Amino acid sequence: MSLTKDDVRKIAFLARIRVPEERLEPMAGELNNIVGWVEQLAEVNTDGVEPMTSVVETETPLRADVITQRAISDKILANAPDGEGSFFAVPKVVE
Amino acid sequence: MSDLRDWTIASAADALTKGETSSVELTDAFIEAIEANRSLNAFITETPELARHRAAESDARRASGDAKGPMDGVPIAMKDLFCTEGVRTTAASHILDNFVPTYESTVSGKLRDAGAVMLGKTNLDEFAMGSANITSYFGSVKNPWTPEGANADLVPGGSSGGSVAAVAGGLAIAATGTDTGGSIRQPASFTGLVGMKPTYGRCSRWGTIAFASSLDQAGPLTRTVEDAAIMLQAMAGHDPKDSTSLPIDLPDFRSACTTDVKGLRVGIPDEYTLDSMPAEIQKLWDQGAQWFKGMGAEVKPVTLPHTKYALPAYYIVAPAEASSNLSRYDGVRYGLRVPGDSLDEMYELTRGEGFGEEVQRRVLIGAYVLSAGYYDAYYVKAQKVRTLIAQDFKKAFADVDVILTPTAPSAAFAKGEKMDDPIAMYLNDVFTVPASLAGLPAISVPGGLDANGLPLGLQLITRVCQEETLFRAASALEAAANFTARPGDAS
Amino acid sequence: MTYLIQGETGDWEVVVGLEVHAQAITNSKLFSGAPTTFGAEPNQNVALVDAAMPGMLPVINEIAIEQAVRTGLGLRAVINRTSVFERKNYFYADLPQGYQISQFLHPIVGEGTVTVDLADGTSRDIGVERLHLEQDAGKSMHDQDPTRTMIDLNRAGVVLMEIVSKPDIRTPEEAGAYVKKMRAIIRYLGTCDGNMEEGSMRADVNVSVRPVGETELRTRVEVKNVNSVRFVMQAIEIEAARQVDVWEEGGEVVQETRLFDAHKGETRPMRTKEFAHDYRYFPDPDLLPIRLEEDFIEKIRASLPELPDDKKARFISELGLSAYDAGVLVADRDTAAYFEEAAKGHDAKQVANWLTTNLFGALNKLDLEIGASPISATHLGELVGLIEDDTISSRIAKDVFEEMLATSKSPEAIVEDKGLKQITDTRAIEAIVDQVIADSPDQIADVQGGNEKGIGWFVGQVMKASQGKANPGQVNGLLRKKLLG
Ligand SMILES: [Mg+2]
Ligand SMILES: [Zn+2]
C-alpha cells in the first residue's frame, strides 16, 4: 500500500491540517516509510484473537444523574480566542 | 546542603521534620538553581511566586503540627502536560502556548494537597510525542550529562525531557512525568534517574493533556526508588472522574522498598536482545541478572514471542488515538487561532501552524489508519497484536515475578542524531513499549555508565497492580548497582 | 394504502427510513454533570467536559443507560448485554471534541418493531433497526452577526437516543404515523418529552424512489432535522417528487444530505463538504464497554407502563370501544389517562364520545392541552353519570357541559344551582301535557286525523314548556296515550 500526494492532501483535509503544496510529496514519502514499516504486522497470525480495547479489565463505571457543574461559563469562556457576549465565535458558516 | 543534587524526597522530609531546613529555604535554593541553569531549557514556565507561597504555607502547617506527610514542603517540577489552575499549560505546543486552565489535574492536585511545592512546568516533546525532547515549540532540552572528553550537547530523552533535566541537573528534588510508550523510563535511563510507570489506571488521567488515552500514565521521576514509592503514593489512587481509573485502594508503596529478593523469580526475555545494541548495554543487562542471582533471586529465561511487533503496533494505536484526541485543538474555545475566511480554512491554518512536524505526522498517520478501508487492516490488526503481547506477558508471569530488560537500546545521544528518520527515533522505545501496550507497571533504575561516562538504565516489569513487587526488586537492583555518578558540568 | 408517484415513464414507489433523535429525559448530560434544562443563557449549561477542555474525560450517566433500555423495551427490541461507545470523528464548530461519542458497531438496543395506525383503520409494523446513545452537538447561530457564526454549547453532550427504522416505510402517511407512534411510546415510557418545537425530538428522513416492480434500492438522500410530523410528510412528498424528476430526466440522484425548507416547499443540498466525510469510528479509549446484567434489564421491564398498543387492545376488548375511538384515545398518554379516570364507574363508550366530540372540540377552540382542561376527568365522568341515572337529559347535559367549561364547576353543582334536574314526576309532566293539549286544538285534529308524526310537535312543545327538564320518554308515552288512546 502506498500513499500518493493526493492521498496526503485528502487525509490532511480530514485532519484539518494545512500542508503546503510543496510539502505534500515529501510528506507522502515520510508517511509511506512509517506505513511500510508498520505493515510488518501482517505477518502475525491473529486468527481468533480479540482486539484489545482497554487494558483495564473492569466494567465501565456509571455516575449518578445529578448536576455537579452549573453556571461556570466564565471558566468555559476564559480562554476563547473570539466571542461575543457569552458565545464563542467562528468565521461565518453557510449551511 | 551545598549540592542540591544530594536532596531526595526522603532526606528533605527528614530535614524538614527535624527543623534543619524550611520549605521556603529549600524552595529558594531551587529557584536560584533554576535561574542559574536556564541553558538546560528544562522549564517552559517557572512559577517562583507560587512556589514561595506554597512553601510558606507548608512551613506554617509544619509549625502548627499539621504537616501532611513526606511530600509536604518538597520542591518538585511538573511536566507541562498536567493542567494547573491559573498556570499556563502548553503541552509544549504552539497551539496551546497561551492556554491557562481554570482547573487542576487530579495528579497535580493530589501532589499539591500532599504539600508538594511546584517550582514550574517542565519542557517536553510536543504533546509528549517524541523520545529526545526535540519537538517542543519552546526549544529542545539539554541533558545535564555530557560525554567524557567531548562537549556535544546530548538529548535528555523524551518526552519527559524537561522533568529529567530538572531533577538530574539539581533544579528540583523530583518531577512528574507521563509515559505513553516509554516517556518516563527512557529519559530516566538517559539521565541516571529512577523513572516509574505504574499500572495503567493507577494514576488518574483527568486534567492531563491526552496523547494516547489507552496508554497514557503519569508517574514519578526521582533520584531513588524509595522516592518513587513516596511520590507515587501521593499521585495515584482511584478517581471517579476517569472511567479507566482502577477502583482499588493503594498499598503502602514505601514499605515495599525492601531489598529482600530471596526466591524472587527474575525473567530474562530472549527477544530483547538486539543486534544493533551496544555491547555495554548487553553487559549491563547480564550484570543485572548476576546481581539478582547474587542476592538470592532465581534468574531464568522467559519468552515474549511478539515483542518484535510491539513497536509497529504501538505506532498504529498511539497515533490513531492521538489523531482523535488532538481534534479538540481547533482554535474555537481556547489556544491558538489563525484567522481564515471560512471555518475550514481557520481550522486548517490554525492546526497547520499550531502543530509541529512530528505531531502533524502522527495525526496524519492516525487519521489514515482509521480511515475507511484501512481500519481493519491497521487499527484492528494492531489491537489484536496488542492482545497477543499482553498474553505473552501473562504466560511469562506464570513462571516469573519480574522481567529484567535494558530500558533503552542506547545511552543519550547527541542532538541531531536520528533526526531525519522517524523510525530510528521510534526505536528508542523498543524495550519500553511492550509493557505500555499491556498496561503493566515498569520502572527504570540507573545501572551504570557506558564507556563515555553516560548513564544506562535497567528496566523491571511486573504483573498488573504488583507495584510492590516492582519496588522491592528495584530497591535491590538499586542497592546492587550503587549508582552514584553525577553529571559533570551542571551543579 | 399505496402511494405512487405518477411519472412520465410510469409509477414510482417511495422508500423511506427514519432516524429519530429523541432527547432522553435526564437531569444531567450523557458524560458530564451539567444541567440539560431548555432555554438557559448561552454557555451556562456547559461543564468542562462539554467544552472539550484539555484533559477532560467522560463518565457515563447511569440514567441515560436506563432510559435507553426502557425505550428499547418499549419498542419490543433486543437489549444488547454489551455495548460500546465509539468516536465519530469530524470537525464542526459546535462539536467541541472534534468527535461525537456515539455507538456504532455495538449499539445498546438492537432490532424492534413499531406498529403504526393508519387513517383507514389498518395497522402496519415498521421495523426498528437499532437504538443507540450519543451526545448532542451544540448550537450554531448564523444570523446574529454578518461575518461570524455564534456558538452555544448548552446542548453539547445532552443525551440523545437515535432510533433508526428499517426502510420499511412506503408512504408519507406511514412516516407521519411512525413519528406520532414513536412520540406516543417515548412519552408513555417517560424517556423523552417528545417536544418537537424545542428540538427534543427530531427526525432525519432517508428517501429514495424506484419504479414500481424494481426490487433494488436506489440512491437515498438524507433530509436532515425535520422538526414536525407535518414537515416529515411534506419533506417526503417533495423530495420523492424531485428524485423522480431527476431519474426521469436521465439524471442520477446523488447520495447527499439536504435541508428541508418549509417556506419554499423544497429540499436543497447542505453546503458543507459531505464528500470529505470519513468518520473514522473507533472505540472510545476513555470509556470501557457497557455490560448490562439480566436483572437490571428485567427490573426495568417490570416497571414499564401499559403502552399504547396494549391499551388500545384493552379499550376495545374490555371497554367495548371502536378501534377508531380507542386509537384516538391512546395516541396521547395524557388523553388516555384522562379517559381512564373519567370512565371509572361510567359507561366508557359514552365517556369516549363526550371526550372525542365535545371536549376535544372545546379544547381545540381554546387552544388548550388536555392537561389544562377546565373540565376535570372526574367531572366529565360525573356528567355522564347524571345522564346514566336520568338526572338530566342529554340535551340538558350539553348546557351543563358548556357551563362546566366556563366555570370548572362540578356538573352536580350546576344542575343544582340552575334547577336543571329532569322532571320524572308523572303528575307534574301530565299537568304540562294537558296544558299543551288544551292550547292546541288544530294540531290535535291533525294527529287524530292520521298524522302520527305530528306527535313530535307536541313533544317539542312540552319540552319547551318544561324548559327541557321533562323526561322525553315519559312525555312521549303520555302524549300517545292521550291523543291516540
Ligand atoms: Mg443521521
Ligand atoms: Zn445521531
Side-chain angles (χ1 to χ4, degrees):
Chain A
M1 205 112 14
S2 192
L3 282 106
T4 64
K5 187 173 157 181
D6 241 26
D7 293 334
V8 176
R9 190 184 285 117
K10 233 163 43 201
I11 298 161
F13 180 70
L14 261 188
R16 297 298 189 278
I17 292 176
R18 176 67 55 91
V19 178
E21 190 60 31
E22 71 275 11
R23 273 285 295 149
L24 289 173
E25 196 71 63
M27 183 66 95
E30 289 160 35
L31 298 187
N32 274 322
N33 257 345
I34 298 168
V35 170
W37 171 68
V38 300
E39 273 176 354
Q40 61 180 293
L41 291 189
E43 311 164 12
V44 186
N45 180 357
T46 52
D47 294 350
V49 177
E50 277 298 305
M52 180 182 280
T53 44
S54 177
V55 294
V56 180
E57 286 171 11
T58 57
E59 287 172 29
T60 201
L62 301 176
R63 48 164 245 284
D65 181 26
V66 291
I67 293 161
T68 52
Q69 223 157 35
R70 65 166 93 226
I72 54 161
S73 59
D74 51 333
K75 290 188 175 188
I76 297 297
L77 297 159
N79 284 280
D82 188 17
E84 176 97 27
S86 48
F87 287 106
F88 296 101
V90 297
K92 186 110 173 157
V93 178
V94 189
E95 276 193 336
Chain B
M1 238 174 259
S2 57
D3 191 337
L4 293 179
R5 293 172 302 172
D6 289 337
W7 286 110
T8 61
I9 295 172
S11 72
D14 201 38
L16 288 165
T17 306
K18 288 181 182 151
E20 292 165 1
T21 185
S22 69
S23 179
V24 168
E25 193 183 336
L26 262 180
T27 299
D28 277 335
F30 280 102
I31 290 171
E32 243 175 75
I34 289 170
E35 286 168 358
N37 288 283
R38 292 210 173 110
S39 61
L40 292 178
N41 202 22
F43 286 84
I44 290 174
T45 305
E46 297 170 11
T47 56
E49 297 303 310
L50 184 72
R52 286 195 184 98
H53 178 76
R54 289 200 186 152
E57 282 179 344
S58 170
D59 287 336
R61 273 196 299 276
R62 205 170 288 280
S64 56
D66 297 329
K68 289 181 165 178
M71 293 301 299
D72 201 346
V74 175
I76 62 163
M78 188 69 63
K79 188 175 183 178
D80 202 18
L81 203 62
F82 296 94
C83 288
T84 43
E85 189 176 354
V87 176
R88 182 174 74 142
T89 301
T90 68
S93 182
H94 184 24
I95 212 157
L96 280 177
D97 61 6
N98 59 3
F99 175 62
V100 181
T102 57
Y103 49 92
E104 185 83 23
S105 78
T106 298
V107 164
S108 58
K110 274 173 168 279
L111 285 166
R112 185 188 59 188
D113 293 346
V117 173
M118 183 178 86
L119 295 162
K121 308 291 296 286
T122 56
N123 208 339
L124 63 149
D125 280 297
E126 186 181 1
F127 281 104
M129 295 178 191
S131 307
N133 214 128
I134 49 168
T135 69
S136 168
Y137 176 68
F138 298 89
S140 53
V141 175
K142 206 171 114 181
N143 192 331
W145 292 82
T146 44
E148 258 163 36
N151 54 8
D153 282 352
L154 300 183
V155 301
S159 66
S160 309
S163 287
V164 291
V167 179
L171 317 186
I173 293 181
T176 54
T178 61
D179 189 313
T180 304
S183 281
I184 289 176
R185 291 160 286 163
Q186 182 256 15
S189 174
F190 276 21
T191 52
L193 298 177
V194 174
M196 157 86 174
K197 181 197 92 74
T199 306
Y200 180 84
R202 273 286 195 208
C203 288
S204 168
R205 294 183 294 113
W206 193 88
T208 308
I209 293 175
F211 163 14
S213 309
S214 75
L215 296 155
D216 295 345
Q217 261 301 289
L221 285 154
T222 55
R223 265 183 252 295
T224 67
V225 174
E226 185 187 25
D227 276 9
I230 295 170
M231 191 161 169
L232 181 63
Q233 197 85 41
M235 295 167 71
H238 177 239
D239 181 4
K241 291 190 286 190
D242 174 357
S243 299
T244 61
S245 168
L246 293 167
I248 48 170
D249 290 337
L250 294 183
D252 182 357
F253 293 133
R254 192 177 187 178
S255 66
C257 294
T258 68
T259 53
D260 177 14
V261 290
K262 224 165 260 136
L264 188 81
R265 297 166 304 166
V266 178
I268 309 292
D270 291 346
E271 295 82 358
Y272 279 56
T273 306
L274 291 188
D275 295 341
S276 59
M277 199 160 70
E280 291 147 302
I281 292 180
Q282 182 66 49
K283 213 178 106 199
L284 176 68
W285 189 14
D286 296 342
Q287 174 70 70
Q290 287 308 314
W291 284 330
F292 274 110
K293 261 186 214 161
M295 292 182 286
E298 186 190 335
V299 176
K300 50 168 145 182
V302 288
T303 175
L304 299 167
H306 296 91
T307 299
K308 177 182 166 197
Y309 300 106
L311 210 51
Y314 174 87
Y315 274 95
I316 290 173
V317 173
E321 293 181 7
S323 73
S324 177
N325 282 335
L326 269 55
S327 293
R328 65 188 56 204
Y329 308 107
D330 59 5
V332 176
R333 296 163 315 285
Y334 47 77
L336 179 74
R337 171 183 299 190
V338 179
D341 287 339
S342 68
L343 181 64
D344 279 337
E345 193 182 52
M346 187 275 278
Y347 285 149
E348 290 182 280
L349 294 176
T350 298
R351 292 164 60 82
E353 188 170 323
F355 292 143
E357 244 183 47
E358 179 62 17
V359 170
Q360 292 195 9
R361 217 162 15 232
R362 295 203 198 186
V363 168
L364 295 180
I365 286 282
Y368 176 68
V369 299
L370 288 175
S371 65
Y374 301 104
Y375 178 73
D376 288 327
Y378 293 118
Y379 187 76
V380 176
K381 182 79 181 183
Q383 291 289 45
K384 287 180 177 175
V385 170
R386 200 175 167 186
T387 300
L388 292 173
I389 286 163
Q391 284 172 0
D392 282 355
F393 277 113
K394 229 174 217 163
K395 280 180 209 152
F397 285 126
D399 288 333
V400 297
D401 302 305
V402 295
I403 288 170
L404 178 73
T405 77
T407 305
S410 76
F413 46 89
K415 205 182 147 187
E417 274 177 54
K418 311 187 187 190
M419 303 277 178
D420 22 321
D421 180 9
I423 295 169
M425 187 63 82
Y426 297 169
L427 283 169
N428 269 290
D429 295 328
V430 66
F431 299 144
T432 48
V433 152
S436 297
L437 288 174
L440 303 173
I443 192 167
S444 177
V445 177
L449 298 175
D450 73 358
N452 295 318
L454 296 176
L456 296 171
L458 286 171
Q459 175 180 235
L460 289 160
I461 307 167
T462 192
R463 300 180 192 95
V464 162
C465 293
Q466 295 295 306
E467 281 88 351
E468 289 163 282
T469 308
L470 206 57
F471 281 124
R472 182 155 61 100
S475 297
L477 182 59
E478 181 182 45
N482 190 27
F483 183 87
T484 54
R486 296 268 171 79
D489 63 342
S491 60
Chain C
M1 206 193 293
T2 46
Y3 175 84
L4 297 176
I5 296 176
Q6 263 118 51
E8 310 262 304
T9 57
D11 286 351
W12 294 73
E13 182 186 40
V14 182
V15 178
V16 175
L18 288 173
E19 293 166 23
V20 171
H21 283 90
Q23 178 183 338
I25 295 174
T26 57
N27 296 317
S28 63
K29 294 185 178 179
L30 182 50
F31 299 115
S32 86
T36 54
T37 42
F38 181 78
E41 289 294 300
N43 290 308
Q44 277 298 317
N45 290 354
V46 183
L48 296 166
V49 184
D50 308 319
M53 288 292 166
M56 292 300 97
L57 298 172
V59 185
I60 303 170
N61 180 340
E62 62 180 358
I63 299 300
I65 301 292
E66 221 175 289
Q67 295 290 51
V69 170
R70 188 181 303 280
T71 306
L73 292 172
L75 300 174
R76 290 173 270 158
V78 180
I79 308 300
N80 291 325
R81 297 283 297 274
T82 301
S83 63
V84 177
F85 277 109
E86 303 203 27
R87 294 184 182 177
K88 178 181 184 179
N89 293 283
Y90 66 98
F91 284 87
Y92 199 67
D94 54 25
L95 185 75
Q97 294 159 143
Y99 54 84
Q100 179 194 34
I101 306 179
S102 182
Q103 297 187 305
F104 186 53
L105 290 180
H106 307 281
I108 188 161
V109 174
E111 293 187 338
T113 312
V114 172
T115 305
V116 299
D117 306 309
L118 303 170
D120 64 1
T122 60
S123 295
R124 259 203 78 201
D125 282 353
I126 306 293
V128 168
E129 179 71 40
R130 58 188 275 156
L131 175 155
H132 66 254
L133 281 167
E134 63 186 22
Q135 336 170 259
D136 203 351
K139 222 176 154 185
S140 295
M141 263 134 314
H142 305 300
D143 41 21
Q144 300 203 339
D145 185 287
T147 59
R148 296 179 300 170
T149 290
M150 297 297 160
I151 308 295
D152 172 15
L153 299 180
N154 280 346
R155 286 197 69 90
V158 159
V159 187
L160 293 183
M161 301 180 287
E162 179 171 337
I163 305 159
V164 183
S165 86
K166 301 201 166 184
D168 288 353
I169 297 167
R170 292 289 175 275
T171 74
E173 191 207 352
E174 282 175 11
Y178 175 87
V179 175
K180 276 192 221 160
K181 185 49 128 342
M182 182 66 71
R183 189 171 54 185
I185 292 171
I186 57 188
R187 279 182 171 165
Y188 269 73
L189 293 165
T191 55
C192 171
D193 68 21
N195 190 330
M196 295 187 88
E197 293 90 79
E198 288 178 7
S200 42
M201 184 175 157
R202 48 191 200 263
D204 299 340
V205 188
N206 291 304
V207 183
S208 66
V209 297
R210 61 184 172 193
V212 169
E214 193 172 293
T215 51
E216 296 285 291
L217 291 174
R218 294 202 177 188
T219 313
R220 71 185 169 87
V221 163
E222 183 175 4
V223 185
K224 275 247 181 247
N225 278 341
V226 189
N227 61 3
S228 80
V229 172
R230 196 161 53 92
F231 288 167
V232 165
M233 297 166 68
Q234 280 179 11
I236 294 168
E237 286 168 25
I238 290 164
E239 176 57 20
R242 184 191 71 84
Q243 288 183 19
V244 169
D245 283 349
V246 170
W247 289 121
E248 292 201 327
E249 280 161 18
E252 182 126 355
V253 169
V254 286
Q255 180 156 1
E256 61 181 350
T257 306
R258 298 176 74 92
L259 288 174
F260 174 59
D261 188 328
H263 286 292
K264 293 187 186 154
E266 63 172 29
T267 68
R268 62 184 138 79
M270 286 182 83
R271 287 220 237 164
T272 35
K273 291 176 186 158
E274 278 296 311
F275 73 89
H277 275 189
D278 178 345
Y279 292 123
R280 290 158 286 142
Y281 280 99
F282 74 107
D284 191 331
D286 287 334
L287 295 163
L288 305 170
I290 303 155
R291 289 188 217 289
L292 302 178
E293 299 294 332
E294 194 61 47
D295 59 315
F296 170 83
I297 299 167
E298 286 316 309
K299 223 179 254 168
I300 296 174
R301 195 192 301 276
S303 75
L304 290 185
E306 185 183 32
L307 289 169
D309 292 336
D310 295 331
K311 212 180 261 295
K312 182 180 171 188
R314 183 168 58 83
F315 283 3
I316 295 168
S317 67
E318 288 181 17
L319 304 179
L321 300 193
S322 69
Y324 179 81
D325 276 355
V328 170
L329 291 174
V330 302
D332 173 67
R333 182 191 193 172
D334 293 344
T335 304
Y338 185 102
F339 167 73
E340 290 196 80
E341 180 65 31
K344 255 182 214 156
H346 302 295
D347 176 14
K349 275 205 248 182
Q350 260 208 73
V351 172
N353 205 31
W354 276 92
L355 185 49
T356 53
T357 49
N358 304 63
L359 189 62
F360 278 2
L363 292 177
N364 216 0
K365 257 186 233 155
L366 296 170
D367 196 21
L368 290 175
E369 297 284 319
I370 190 126
S373 166
I375 298 176
S376 73
T378 337
H379 285 171
L380 189 72
E382 282 167 13
L383 181 67
V384 172
L386 293 176
I387 303 166
E388 283 173 320
D389 66 12
D390 281 341
T391 307
I392 55 173
S393 65
S394 307
R395 239 297 282 116
I396 291 287
K398 291 205 169 94
D399 297 340
V400 175
F401 180 88
E402 290 305 322
E403 191 67 15
M404 289 165 77
L405 204 57
T407 64
S408 292
K409 281 190 189 156
S410 83
E412 267 136 15
I414 293 166
V415 168
E416 193 66 36
D417 289 354
K418 305 217 156 179
L420 297 174
K421 245 196 179 114
Q422 186 158 245
I423 304 169
T424 49
D425 176 356
T426 315
R427 263 183 302 172
I429 296 175
E430 197 166 3
I432 304 171
V433 168
D434 289 345
Q435 185 61 48
V436 169
I437 291 174
D439 290 348
S440 322
D442 295 354
Q443 284 81 358
I444 293 171
D446 182 32
V447 170
Q448 293 179 337
N451 181 16
E452 271 195 42
K453 282 188 186 154
I455 294 262
W457 181 87
F458 282 93
V459 174
Q461 290 303 301
V462 174
M463 293 308 290
K464 200 166 154 192
S466 71
Q467 290 160 308
K469 290 184 286 186
N471 180 299
Q474 282 172 282
V475 172
N476 210 307
L478 276 169
L479 282 167
R480 282 182 178 276
K481 200 167 88 192
K482 287 182 189 258
L483 295 177
L484 303 173

